[in-house]
Amino acid sequence: MLRYVTTNPGKVREAEAYLGEGTVNRLDFDYAEIQATKLAPIAARGAREAYRKADGPVLVDDAGLFIEALDGFPGPYSSYVEETLGIDRVRAVAESLEDRRAAFRCTLAYCDGDGFAASPDPVDRGDRVAAAAAGPADADGDGDGRMGPLPVKLFEGYVPGRIVAPRGDGGFGYDPIFEHDGETFAEMGAERKNAVSHRGRALEKFAEWYADR
Ligand code: IMP
């Protein structure tokens, strides 16, 4: 059984709505999030850690809200910002901006311990913190007896929108203040959100690849 690695039950509901009930099992595991400017190295690193914990196939879901006029902030720090500022203050910051465009991004990282044509190493070598965390390619020191990091396949999804006053009571996280095509994500059901969302798009790419596996 594929384990969907997240501490967030909302993400699992959406994954199940997309992939089918009973196809994934939630692994409530809080992997260490490295500091990086992109989601890919965080998700890849998390997938390797979660695979070692689960000892079976895992899919890590790392997502974030990227506000255009703030150069993508909070991006990979979205969870920390939701916990500290909260979505009302994020909305207040956005209200002070002329340009309220934003996007959600999601990276799914799959690891099952086997080899496959993995995505290129997602570490941004310009990002010294992430590169140091990933370690040299031939000496990852993870104790799995391999001479390199475990292969990880990445699937990315993106959805544009804008920050608005909160509407709707569905979804989770920033959903009430994120509007796409006239509706906030909190006003859409899981199915409609999946049809357009960052997670839905990443899940679509994953499902297509996984079906052949
Ligand atoms: P993480 O991927 O669990 O680290 O989530 C990052 C942050 O983005 C958390 O604050 C989540 O609540 C939020 N987030 C992730 N995906 C979504 C989504 O689909 N809608 C609303 N907020 C989300």
Side-chain angles (χ1 to χ4, degrees):
M1 164 80 75
L2 177 60
R3 264 154 283 197
Y4 205 84
V5 185
T6 178
T7 55
N8 184 336
K11 289 183 177 181
V12 184
R13 276 196 300 275
E14 289 178 13
E16 281 207 311
Y18 194 93
L19 301 170
E21 210 159 308
T23 49
V24 292
N25 214 338
R26 177 174 163 220
L27 175 62
D28 185 359
F29 175 55
D30 206 5
Y31 55 87
E33 288 205 7
I34 58 166
Q35 282 205 324
T37 53
K38 302 222 168 81
L39 299 175
I42 303 171
R45 189 75 191 172
R48 293 188 180 110
E49 193 187 325
Y51 168 73
R52 283 182 212 109
K53 160 94 182 164
D55 201 20
V58 291
L59 192 61
V60 159
D61 174 326
D62 202 50
L65 176 71
F66 294 72
I67 298 175
E68 291 264 344
L70 300 179
D71 295 335
F73 181 83
Y77 306 105
S78 296
S79 167
Y80 175 72
V81 168
E82 187 190 335
E83 276 165 34
T84 51
L85 290 184
I87 69 167
D88 283 337
R89 282 195 279 175
V90 170
R91 199 260 307 188
V93 171
E95 233 160 48
S96 71
L97 306 167
E98 233 171 84
D99 176 2
R100 296 180 192 160
R101 284 175 305 152
F104 267 123
R105 292 179 187 277
C106 174
T107 298
L108 296 176
Y110 175 81
C111 180
D112 63 10
D114 285 342
F116 46 77
S119 305
D121 189 336
V123 171
D124 176 357
R125 294 286 158 191
D127 185 335
R128 288 188 299 128
V129 178
D138 60 351
D140 59 348
D142 61 6
D144 69 355
R146 285 167 188 270
M147 283 304 284
L150 283 164
V152 171
K153 188 86 182 162
L154 301 175
F155 306 87
E156 298 185 329
Y158 160 94
V159 61
R162 64 188 193 105
I163 306 295
V164 296
R167 297 197 320 262
D169 46 24
F172 64 92
Y174 297 93
D175 279 349
I177 61 166
F178 185 83
E179 185 189 75
H180 173 82
D181 224 2
E183 268 183 303
T184 68
F185 271 3
E187 291 176 312
M188 302 178 183
E191 229 170 88
R192 162 104 183 98
K193 180 180 168 188
N194 268 340
V196 294
S197 79
H198 50 313
R199 181 160 301 102
R201 282 164 208 246
L203 283 167
E204 183 183 10
K205 293 179 192 168
F206 168 74
E208 196 179 309
W209 176 82
Y210 194 61
D212 291 340
R213 191 155 171 82

